Amino acid sequence: METMYLIGFMGAGKTSISQELAQRLSVPVYDTDKEIVKSRGKSINEIFATDGEAKFRELESEILRAMPPENAIVATGGGIVGVEKNRLFLSDKGNVVFLYTELNEIIKRLEGDDSRPLLRKGNLDAAKKLFRSRLPLYREAADIEIDTSGKSIPAIVDEIVERMKN
Ligand code: S3P
């Protein structure tokens, strides 16, 4: 199979869903954030603080292209579609799944989690703006869109597998 890419906002469940999907399809799973952390030997927060977001985006774009093109599941970082060449790269692929989750649900899920430099506490307005500005970008890059709101991970995986058959 062609590698399947999961895209969507922070907290949409890309990591957990990618793991379950990979198990279901018996293929390896990759996560662009984890690959970046591995290659730099520092956390995402540290990379943003010391190297800056632009450097992070460069690394993310490189990692995206280094992923196996076949027989894998790739979970991506929520901002990967902010870079035009990444949107073009993904648009060219036939297996890109946009996991849509309501912003209110995302905010609830990420309460108390400070691992994401762009969603720091008290930054609700900025998060709303970012969410709204990214929606059309996810839609531009994706082949299918799945609304994950209120659904269990196995149910979401069933839906992806079913829709990808068509
Ligand atoms: C980011 C999302 C994060 C991570 C970084 C930036 C973003 O990944 O890549 O904090 O710009 O939306 P997740 O979507 O896995 O949280």
Side-chain angles (χ1 to χ4, degrees), residues 21-78:
L21 188 59
Q23 244 184 2
R24 185 83 71 90
L25 300 174
S26 304
V27 293
V29 62
Y30 297 86
D31 188 306
T32 56
D33 282 345
K34 283 190 192 141
E35 296 297 322
I36 295 170
V37 168
K38 236 199 284 173
S39 78
R40 298 301 274 189
K42 10 183 189 181
S43 70
I44 305 269
N45 271 330
E46 282 165 341
I47 299 171
F48 267 70
T50 57
D51 305 321
E53 182 173 352
K55 180 67 191 172
F56 176 83
R57 297 296 171 207
E58 237 178 70
L59 296 168
E60 190 176 46
S61 305
E62 279 168 23
I63 297 278
L64 177 65
R65 285 158 181 78
M67 296 289 101
E70 285 179 356
N71 299 321
I73 306 293
V74 176
T76 60

Side-chain angles (χ1 to χ4, degrees), residues 78-105:
I80 208 152
V81 296
V83 175
E84 190 188 13
K85 67 178 179 190
N86 293 341
R87 286 202 301 283
L88 294 172
F89 177 87
L90 290 166
S91 304
D92 258 5
K93 306 277 173 191
N95 268 352
V96 180
V97 181
F98 167 35
L99 298 173
Y100 174 83
T101 309
E102 299 280 350
L103 185 60
N104 286 345
E105 189 163 332

Side-chain angles (χ1 to χ4, degrees), residues 107-161:
I107 289 163
K108 258 190 253 155
R109 283 185 198 169
L110 296 183
E111 224 171 21
D113 177 340
D114 54 8
S115 65
R116 290 165 173 94
L118 297 179
L119 269 198
R120 283 273 155 72
K121 284 178 208 84
N123 220 0
L124 201 57
D125 278 348
K128 271 188 198 155
K129 250 196 214 153
L130 197 58
F131 183 81
R132 284 201 201 107
S133 66
R134 281 185 182 165
L135 263 184
L137 307 183
Y138 295 125
R139 289 182 169 141
E140 186 186 321
D143 296 291
I144 64 166
E145 175 169 339
I146 307 254
D147 188 345
T148 71
S149 313
K151 294 177 190 158
S152 70
I153 291 176
I156 296 164
V157 168
D158 285 345
E159 204 174 323
I160 295 173
V161 170

